[in-house]
DNA sequence: GAAATTTACTGGTATATGCCACTATATTTA
DNA sequence: TAAATATAGTGGCATATACCAGTAAATTTC
């Protein structure tokens, strides 16, 4: 046992990296619970969001996911390939494509829903149900356009 | 203006996806501030963590970053390619590799530090300094091994 | 209404990240 | 100590995610 270089010492003064670390760990925890379904947690989230909207345009879906439009397009690829979602052209605006679940996608979503509930329940149990709600609210705040505006407006140095 | 399918309606009942959305947005905000340096925020975080440790073994670094060892290896590639970090073999255990900043890496880190401070200051201004500290503490909790254990132990259904 | 501009999406490229299989070393067992 | 096992990394493959440069279709200008 030489000199332990071991930083448990994560550099935790950066709010961004703190969020990233937590996000990686939490993602993995949910992922493990969802594993039997074959869906990644991000994919399940995407399917849920698609299911909730009625054939949401990609643009709108990307906004709801707080995700770049092109990133969304790429992320949908495996789901399309596996026949879980499909794109339909908008009737009135030919630039727009709308996404929807296929029969198979709906089925898999239903089959996976219980696993998600299990994961969420575990999180609430470990973190506290009320704290969990507060956390989601806080995260929603940070993810909001208003917060981005406040951040960008908050010049700390002159310009 | 047809029927607005527009879900501002992000599905925000999942703690994981709430965290992911916030993480994406915040990442982008910091990223924009760091842009002039040419470093991504993740890379800056990594350089900082490497700088703080004294030639930390990859394994330990991965743990501090709450990141998979192989993922860390991949993420280091661009930094090695650009001559910012280098790996050195451990003297006593030939399996171990330690990471350190190069001269160039140290220089770039210093040059970028001010940008990070600016980003962090903007976050604190928009979110509140105290809230910011609390948030980091909360994120550290979620990222901790103890939390993972609690989550995994918290079986909600029988096994 | 033709030209300029904006909008929605696609494809290429690059980083971020995880899992698995494999290799090289250590460490532990028998 | 030879065999079994554990540990630290690497490389391949797959998804996640961003930016940029098109492309096509709408909208706005003049």
């Amino acid at each position: 046992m030489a000199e332990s270089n071991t930083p448990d010492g994560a550099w935790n003064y950066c709010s961004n990296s703190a969020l990233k670390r937590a996000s990686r760990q939490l993602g993995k925890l949910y992922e493990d619970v969802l594993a039997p379904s074959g869906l990644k947690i991000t994919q399940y989230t995407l399917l849920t969001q698609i299911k909730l909207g009625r054939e949401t345009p990609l643009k709108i879906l990307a906004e709801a996911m707080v995700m770049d439009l092109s990133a969304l397009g790429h992320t949908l690829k495996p789901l399309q390939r596996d026949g879980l979602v499909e794109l339909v052209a908008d009737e009135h605006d030919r630039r727009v494509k709308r996404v929807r679940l296929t029969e198979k996608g709906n089925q898999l979503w239903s089959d996976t829903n219980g696993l998600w509930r299990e994961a969420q329940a575990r999180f609430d149990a470990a973190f506290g149900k009320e704290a969990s709600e507060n956390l989601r609210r806080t995260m929603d705040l940070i993810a909001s356009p208003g917060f981005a505006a406040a951040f960008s407006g908050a010049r700390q140095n002159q310009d």
Side-chain angles (χ1 to χ4, degrees), chain A residues 90-103:
Chain A
D90 184 280
E91 294 283 303
H92 305 302
D93 188 333
R94 285 189 291 176
R95 291 170 305 181
V96 173
K97 292 191 183 167
R98 291 164 176 275
V99 212
R100 68 178 173 212
L101 297 189
T102 61
E103 194 67 38

Side-chain angles (χ1 to χ4, degrees), chain A residues 127-138:
Chain A
F127 193 69
K129 189 151 182 61
E130 197 159 335
S132 176
E133 279 168 30
N134 289 335
L135 178 65
R136 288 199 295 281
R137 255 191 293 283
T138 300

Side-chain angles (χ1 to χ4, degrees), chain A residues 97-125:
Chain A
K97 292 191 183 167
R98 291 164 176 275
V99 212
R100 68 178 173 212
L101 297 189
T102 61
E103 194 67 38
K104 186 178 173 190
N106 253 298
Q107 187 57 57
L108 183 52
W109 182 86
S110 298
D111 294 346
T112 308
N113 186 35
L115 294 172
W116 171 75
R117 281 176 187 283
E118 165 74 14
Q120 182 78 0
R122 285 196 202 176
F123 180 79
D124 286 359

Side-chain angles (χ1 to χ4, degrees), chain A residues 67-88:
Chain A
M67 186 181 284
D68 183 89
L69 173 61
S70 76
L72 172 62
H74 294 145
T75 303
L76 284 174
K77 281 294 165 58
L79 299 175
Q80 290 177 263
R81 180 200 57 203
D82 297 343
L84 304 175
V85 307
E86 57 191 359
L87 301 186
V88 290

Side-chain angles (χ1 to χ4, degrees), chain A residues 21-33 41-42:
Chain A
R21 282 195 303 269
S23 184
R24 281 193 289 265
Q25 164 117 8
L26 193 58
K28 201 158 133 48
L29 294 175
Y30 273 67
E31 206 93 81
D32 289 347
V33 178
I41 180 60
T42 302

